[in-house]
Amino acid sequence: MDGMLEIRSIYMDHAATTPVRAEVVEAMLPYLKGEYGNPSSLHGAGRRARDAVERAREKVAASIGAAPQEIVFTSGGTESDNLGVIGAMQAMEKKGRNHLITSAIEHHAVSHSASLLRQRGFDVTIVKVGEGGQIDPRRVEESLRSETGVVSVMMANNETGTIQPIAQVAKFLEGRETLFHTDAVQAVGKVPVDVSALGVDMLSISSHKLHGPKGVGALYMKKGSLLAPLLVGGPHEFGRRAGTENVPGIVGFALALDLATRELDTMSRKVAGLRDRLQERISERIEGVALTGDPEERLPSILNIRFRGVPAEALVVRLDEEGVAISSGSACTAETLEPSPILLALGLDRQEAGTAVRFSVGRDNTEAEVDRVTDLLVHIVSELRSARSARS
Ligand SMILES: *Cc1c(COP(=O)(O)O)cnc(C)c1O
């Protein structure tokens, strides 16, 4: 704005979404311009589009240790989760398996899928988590029944970054027909993800959480796993997801994932360094701070922290005024301002949950930005605390 000091904005909300990388935009452009063929067409334009989709499928598969035929392209993490929970349960029901097990800290894309199934008469068990937000794999084992069709436990939580013991849950499912789904939307591109090492049958990925375009993602489905499609129509995606493929989106997604996988070690180290610096500076300079989630088993990128007596929304709004983008624990339900069910599941009371804010660092953040955010926090937290004590 005229006459105002230009404030460079600082984006620390990468768990909500990420900027699309320049190389990714470049790679997508031809498929938005000249190469508009339908991959199902027999002519040259169609064949070129088909080639692009299949090359993308190979890249996505290779990055998680899967085979290309095991990758189903979807419209994103939400659809992949719906397919992995609802689609798979509907198929398993035909085999007499109408019981779903999931955890108390799932993303809405999974937890609302579970509620929908419950409304439709399925049995649902929700496994509780400990204080750090981790499930105990034995709780899953105890909940298993002969009619359990699907177990869905997320790999890393979007609010706290807590990583779940997926491979240990898989051990308990070995030799059973029960399908194991994991929402790996936050994990992919930040920690190593290999479907055979994890022992999962289904795994959800979303492109826009890893510097790809929005509206595209994938569900890994182990060969032979049952699935009832949610979108019906043409024979696309091996009959598992009808609809003309989002060619530019798929091309961009595959490149973003490929790059993220190649750069994983360097980037996670850089991002963890920034996150740890932020956490240390905050703890050194501000009193009454508590970490939310497991301090060890967490993504390199997420810092969920509570400033005692400081309402999360007020802090998010004040930081936004200073050009800094972060999230509060109720980001997904901002309209209702209800505390996040995930935070309540960790055993926080409503008051505490209402103070949780999430910083999610990304590849383009810098130490200078971390330091600027810390300086701002020192002022804003004290300002909000004194406003509060003045009122009471
Ligand atoms: C963002 C997110 C989703 C939803 O993915 P979309 O591509 O936005 O639909 C699902 N699960 C987790 C853990 C997420 O963070």
Side-chain angles (χ1 to χ4, degrees), residues 193-264:
V193 173
D194 179 286
V195 289
S196 18
L198 289 172
V200 294
D201 301 295
M202 296 181 283
L203 180 141
S204 300
I205 317 177
S206 172
S207 155
H208 77 98
K209 303 285 173 78
L210 43 89
H211 300 276
K214 295 178 178 54
V216 60
L219 179 68
Y220 156 77
M221 286 217 60
K222 190 176 178 173
K223 214 170 293 157
S225 328
L226 291 178
L227 184 89
L230 300 179
L231 293 187
V232 295
H236 311 88
E237 297 300 302
F238 320 105
R240 290 170 162 175
R241 201 271 185 183
T244 301
E245 298 86 343
N246 172 2
V247 182
I250 287 170
V251 167
F253 164 38
L255 178 60
L257 176 52
D258 188 36
L259 292 169
T261 308
R262 289 171 198 278
E263 297 166 3
L264 189 118

Side-chain angles (χ1 to χ4, degrees), residues 56-72:
R57 198 185 305 282
E58 282 163 19
K59 273 196 192 130
V60 171
S63 73
I64 56 166
Q69 316 85 272
E70 295 176 315
I71 301 299
V72 177

Side-chain angles (χ1 to χ4, degrees), residues 352-372:
E352 289 171 312
T355 63
V357 289
R358 178 188 70 189
F359 297 85
S360 45
V361 179
R363 49 179 294 117
D364 299 323
N365 287 130
T366 63
E367 291 190 347
E369 289 181 333
V370 166
D371 296 347
R372 160 116 182 109

Side-chain angles (χ1 to χ4, degrees), residues 14-17 74-81 105-110 154-159 183-187 204-209 213-217 302 332 342 358:
H14 293 81
T17 196
T74 66
S75 64
T78 299
E79 186 188 333
S80 297
D81 284 346
I105 45 95
E106 298 296 316
H107 187 273
H108 281 156
V110 166
M154 77 195 318
M155 188 166 169
N157 186 264
N158 44 296
E159 291 190 21
D183 174 342
V185 169
Q186 290 289 340
S204 300
I205 317 177
S206 172
S207 155
H208 77 98
K209 303 285 173 78
K214 295 178 178 54
V216 60
I302 295 185
C332 286
I342 293 174
R358 178 188 70 189

Side-chain angles (χ1 to χ4, degrees), residues 128-292:
K128 290 196 176 71
V129 297
E131 239 174 72
Q134 273 200 317
I135 59 158
D136 177 348
R138 279 167 307 186
R139 289 260 178 115
V140 175
E141 189 194 23
E142 285 158 16
S143 310
L144 280 171
R145 306 180 194 161
S146 57
E147 66 275 19
T148 307
V150 175
V151 173
S152 181
V153 177
M154 77 195 318
M155 188 166 169
N157 186 264
N158 44 296
E159 291 190 21
T160 59
T162 302
I163 297 174
Q164 298 295 340
I166 296 300
Q168 283 161 260
V169 175
K171 283 253 154 14
F172 288 125
L173 298 174
E174 252 170 37
R176 292 174 180 262
E177 267 185 72
T178 304
L179 295 175
F180 186 19
H181 168 256
T182 189
D183 174 342
V185 169
Q186 290 289 340
V188 171
K190 303 194 188 72
V191 290
V193 173
D194 179 286
V195 289
S196 18
L198 289 172
V200 294
D201 301 295
M202 296 181 283
L203 180 141
S204 300
I205 317 177
S206 172
S207 155
H208 77 98
K209 303 285 173 78
L210 43 89
H211 300 276
K214 295 178 178 54
V216 60
L219 179 68
Y220 156 77
M221 286 217 60
K222 190 176 178 173
K223 214 170 293 157
S225 328
L226 291 178
L227 184 89
L230 300 179
L231 293 187
V232 295
H236 311 88
E237 297 300 302
F238 320 105
R240 290 170 162 175
R241 201 271 185 183
T244 301
E245 298 86 343
N246 172 2
V247 182
I250 287 170
V251 167
F253 164 38
L255 178 60
L257 176 52
D258 188 36
L259 292 169
T261 308
R262 289 171 198 278
E263 297 166 3
L264 189 118
D265 288 346
T266 9
M267 270 310 145
S268 336
R269 225 170 304 128
K270 175 190 166 173
V271 164
L274 293 172
R275 191 268 319 269
D276 293 344
R277 182 185 182 98
L278 180 63
Q279 182 174 344
E280 281 159 24
R281 299 282 147 107
I282 290 176
S283 326
E284 279 162 19
R285 296 180 60 192
I286 305 176
E287 307 260 289
V289 178
L291 185 75
T292 321

